[in-house]
Amino acid sequence: MRRLLRSAAVLVTAAATIAVGAAPAHADRFRDDQWFLGYLDLTKAHAISQGAGVTVAVIDSGVEAHHPDLDGNVLTGIDVVTGGGGNGWGDLDGHGTGMAGLIAAHGHGSGDGVLGIAPKAKIFPIRMANAAGMGNGDAIVKGINEAVSRKIKIISISVSAFSAVPDDLINAVARAREAGTLVFAASGNAPEDFVVTAPARYPGAVAVGAVDRAGNHMGSSVSGPELVLSAPGADITSASKINKSAGTQYRRGSGTSPATAIAAGVAALVWSKYPNLTADQVLERLTRTAVDKGPKGQDRDYGFGVVDPVAALTAPDALPSAEPTDRSVATVSASELPDTSDGGGLRLGLIALVLGVIIVGGGVAVVVARRVHR
């Protein structure tokens, strides 16, 4: 296993802590930081749906199951790397807990702590990290397959994979979609990423980009024809890991990672209100009610637009015609994907930017995953 991750200090633009069981200095400090709650009009959305009855699988660094803002909403999950407890619980980095919090945090006390998009949804944590670092691309494949085998309808992935032979990951995404599962995946962040990353770029995935506080495309959010939806991604406050000495922690970060979790949370709201919808029908609601930005219809910066929870929950069953939202789940082999390698060398060999390929001496492919979406 190779560790190719930026440090937590880079991933987190700001952090704050309170002691477990102690009252914060300002009761609503962290809730007040969550500007996107008002932007998405979640008070109105929560009067319609809060995600009850829906489970979201989060493939990431694990989840602090007993964080006070998530307690009771985290199911017994799994580890797809060795070295953990086997249940997806625990988070040495805080990233996975942050993503879970954006989806299903319920806060604590009288409006304290952070609130997720779908506070009555459940999180199924799939831990692909331990003290040695992140698991490889195979861990993402295993995570997707495990979620699908459990008939979980929503998967949120805020990590990206570098893979010299991406067929397994392509096929895993395709199988998930064919099974009726929506796979939300982060599009990536510039300048580290140049194109929409895997698995977001693969057919069947719902690639998510980020917008700023004004609802405009974030310059660091990777654009591309694969983009399907956008969601708030700037200065996003959520839960984080629990430190025994520092207490309960929160994090604030920017990128397509939080945007992906937020979009997955909106899907949970819709599926909770309309449990008989298919995955395609849920996605249709999300895309056709999204706030269209940029060129009309799907575009490289916003996809079909910025998620609108209230509109997605209240739109009539017969939605107006719009640009087609078909996301083919046909299996694509590695040889069919465009090769845009610039021929540049790295210490470990040649990197093909589109596929994220790292080839080492002797032709052996090193398949790794990295958290690049803050």
Side-chain angles (χ1 to χ4, degrees):
M1 178 186 299
R2 292 190 58 83
R3 182 183 179 92
L4 290 182
L5 302 178
R6 293 197 295 280
S7 70
V10 175
L11 298 174
V12 184
T13 59
T17 64
I18 60 172
V20 176
H26 172 35
D28 293 329
R29 173 182 177 185
F30 304 108
R31 186 74 58 88
D32 287 347
D33 279 345
Q34 293 188 291
W35 64 269
F36 59 91
L37 300 179
Y39 175 86
L40 296 174
D41 202 3
L42 275 211
T43 297
K44 187 173 182 179
H46 285 171
I48 303 169
S49 173
Q50 296 187 31
V54 177
T55 296
V56 181
V58 175
I59 302 177
D60 211 296
S61 58
V63 177
E64 292 283 9
H66 298 303
H67 190 289
D69 296 346
L70 278 164
D71 197 23
N73 277 3
V74 183
L75 303 174
T76 299
I78 60 170
D79 291 0
V80 288
V81 292
T82 59
N87 58 7
W89 291 11
D91 185 1
L92 297 176
D93 180 85
H95 190 269
T97 302
M99 300 308 103
L102 291 173
I103 296 168
H106 48 58
H108 63 274
S110 301
D112 297 339
V114 294
L115 186 65
I117 303 298
K120 290 188 178 179
K122 300 296 184 183
I123 297 294
F124 184 84
I126 299 178
R127 181 175 175 173
M128 57 174 292
N130 56 29
M134 290 293 285
N136 58 26
D138 289 340
I140 299 178
V141 172
K142 291 177 183 176
I144 293 173
N145 291 339
E146 289 285 352
V148 171
S149 72
R150 289 166 170 77
K151 302 186 184 304
I152 295 173
K153 292 186 174 182
I154 301 172
I155 301 173
S156 183
I157 307 175
S158 291
V159 297
S160 65
F162 278 107
S163 175
V165 186
D167 295 61
D168 287 347
L169 186 52
I170 292 172
N171 292 338
V173 173
R175 283 193 299 269
R177 189 63 181 275
E178 289 168 351
T181 297
L182 289 176
V183 179
F184 291 85
S187 67
N189 297 318
E192 293 87 355
D193 300 311
F194 301 85
V195 294
V196 174
T197 58
R201 65 174 291 103
Y202 294 149
V206 182
V208 183
V211 297
D212 60 21
R213 288 173 179 258
N216 297 321
H217 172 75
M218 280 178 52
S220 61
S221 177
V222 173
S223 301
E226 303 90 349
L227 211 65
V228 178
L229 289 167
S230 293
D235 303 322
I236 304 298
T237 297
S238 186
S240 188
K241 62 183 178 181
I242 295 177
N243 184 292
K244 291 182 179 180
S245 59
T248 302
Q249 292 189 326
Y250 296 86
R251 60 187 288 133
R252 190 196 312 157
S254 297
T256 58
S257 186
T260 299
I262 287 172
V266 176
L269 294 180
V270 172
W271 233 324
S272 176
K273 178 172 172 56
Y274 303 102
N276 294 324
L277 293 184
T278 65
D280 287 341
Q281 290 170 330
V282 170
L283 184 58
E284 189 80 359
R285 274 191 167 268
L286 296 180
T287 55
R288 292 200 175 185
T289 60
V291 179
D292 197 359
K293 311 275 286 190
K296 184 178 180 180
Q298 187 178 21
D299 65 79
R300 295 174 57 89
D301 287 342
Y302 297 96
F304 287 95
V306 183
V307 290
D308 185 336
V310 176
L313 290 168
T314 59
D317 290 339
L319 294 172
S321 61
E323 297 293 327
T325 61
D326 176 54
R327 297 284 292 168
S328 172
V329 295
T331 299
V332 180
S333 70
S335 62
E336 294 177 290
L337 292 172
D339 180 7
T340 60
S341 171
D342 64 357
L346 294 179
R347 264 190 317 126
L348 297 181
L350 178 69
I351 181 168
L353 295 177
V354 170
L355 298 180
V357 177
I358 297 177
I359 303 177
V360 298
V364 178
V366 179
V367 185
V368 301
R370 63 171 183 162
R371 183 181 309 105
V372 296
H373 310 300
R374 297 174 177 81

